[in-house]
Amino acid sequence: MVMSTARLVILGPLLFAGVALALPVEQALAASAASSSVEEAGLQPGSVVRWPGAATACAIDGQAVEPVAGECLFPVDLLATGSVTLERTVAGKRQRTTATIGDYPYPQQHIQLKDTSRVNLSPANQQRAARERQRIDVLWDRPAERRFRLPLAAPLDPLPEGGRFGSRRVFNGEPRNPHTGSDYAVPAGTPVLSVAAGRVMLAEEHFFAGNSVFIDHGDQLVSMYFHLRDLEVEAGDEVERGQLVGTVGSTGRSTGPHLHLGLRWKNRRVDPAVMMTPPAELTTLAQP
């Protein structure tokens, strides 16, 4: 198998340029290192990057990513820094490129909560939050056959404007973790729908997220629905794309009725709006 290093053009808001070469492994690695002088805007944290072509295998930093309709789609984690190595196999030849992660592009968001117990946690609530985190952390790496198609379905019908993905949150003047999902402000009781077919892994009340549903869609894609008023599914349920999983509420650490939709793909936190975008419209890597 021949390894080639391809310097790629990002079509869309992020650009870098170069040449494509067919090289032995050692020369390919040297060429990749030498290309660092090329000016690059970098990949956006929290995005999904498309490398089109008739690929039979894809990988990001050595982690296999099954092709989608013969193309490579690479999730870039919200908190990724430095660079990532992208690989694909086309016509029996492996191609590799190293792409720089761009600057963190998301703004700061200030939130004032009247209930300070959800900002300054008591020892009991700290222990509870830690237990819930342990239950959640085992969900990201489950091996299962892909059951979703892209773009994902909307979780609300109609889907209003949403956002705040990636915002660096400040609760009552105290910095906290960035916002890893998109918020959609709609009336309480609005039906919440599964973005794809899958299996419910958790459907329970959590300290921060309130009534929550976690669905495994295979290929290490997990969708999360937070702050629900009602839960309409249970752990172990099989759901179809567009199926009712709950209703919008304001449970947990919330300032009003809204749906928080979060997505992890290959244990990488990505913007739900990107996963609801047709793949052909994603930021694209292409050989010049």
Side-chain angles (χ1 to χ4, degrees):
M1 182 176 291
V2 178
M3 172 79 75
S4 67
T5 296
R7 294 303 304 158
L8 303 174
V9 179
I10 301 184
L11 304 178
L14 309 175
L15 302 174
F16 65 98
V19 296
L21 302 173
L23 301 172
V25 175
E26 294 79 3
Q27 289 176 275
L29 293 174
S32 180
S35 67
S36 61
S37 61
V38 178
E39 184 175 355
E40 299 175 356
L43 305 181
Q44 179 167 312
S47 66
V48 175
V49 181
R50 171 178 172 250
W51 193 353
T56 56
C58 316
I60 178 170
D61 286 339
Q63 182 183 24
V65 182
E66 183 182 348
V68 176
E71 298 182 340
C72 295
L73 298 181
F74 301 107
V76 181
D77 186 63
L78 174 64
L79 297 182
T81 58
S83 63
V84 293
T85 299
L86 308 178
E87 298 178 76
R88 70 175 181 175
T89 301
V90 177
K93 296 181 179 180
R94 290 177 62 194
Q95 300 173 334
R96 171 188 291 169
T97 188
T98 299
T100 300
I101 303 297
D103 294 335
Y104 196 85
Y106 306 104
Q108 202 172 73
Q109 179 189 11
H110 291 264
I111 300 172
Q112 200 68 27
L113 293 175
K114 294 180 180 180
D115 183 1
T116 59
S117 68
R118 296 187 184 272
V119 180
N120 303 309
L121 275 60
S122 67
N125 284 335
Q126 289 179 15
Q127 293 173 7
R128 176 188 173 183
R131 289 194 302 270
E132 291 170 353
R133 174 52 55 192
Q134 289 177 341
R135 287 176 56 76
I136 294 169
D137 283 344
V138 301
L139 303 180
W140 313 134
D141 299 321
R142 293 174 179 268
E145 183 178 354
R146 179 183 293 161
R147 300 179 59 184
F148 64 90
R149 66 179 188 270
L150 298 176
L152 297 178
L156 300 168
D157 184 19
L159 183 69
E161 288 190 11
R164 296 177 178 170
F165 175 80
S167 297
R168 294 187 181 277
R169 296 194 141 182
V170 180
F171 286 99
N172 295 6
E174 298 184 18
R176 290 292 188 266
N177 293 329
H179 191 230
T180 58
S182 288
D183 287 342
Y184 300 96
V186 292
T190 299
V192 175
L193 314 174
S194 177
V195 298
R199 187 170 188 264
V200 178
M201 306 308 296
L202 292 178
E204 57 193 30
E205 193 263 336
H206 288 170
F207 180 77
F208 288 119
N211 289 330
S212 311
V213 173
F214 293 74
I215 302 177
D216 181 358
H217 304 288
D219 196 28
Q220 296 176 305
L221 176 67
V222 177
S223 63
M224 294 155 274
Y225 313 79
F226 293 169
H227 310 301
L228 303 178
R229 184 182 71 181
D230 305 301
L231 299 174
E232 300 293 340
V233 291
E234 299 178 350
D237 285 353
E238 298 289 336
V239 297
E240 297 300 323
R241 180 183 173 106
Q243 182 173 327
L244 179 70
V245 298
T247 61
V248 170
S250 185
T251 56
R253 189 163 70 180
S254 171
T255 58
H258 73 285
L259 169 66
H260 168 112
L261 174 67
L263 293 173
R264 283 214 192 199
W265 190 16
K266 298 294 182 180
N267 202 1
R268 291 171 170 85
R269 294 153 287 196
V270 295
D271 186 349
V274 172
M275 297 290 283
M276 290 186 283
T277 299
E281 298 177 15
L282 297 175
T283 297
T284 300
L285 306 179
Q287 292 176 297

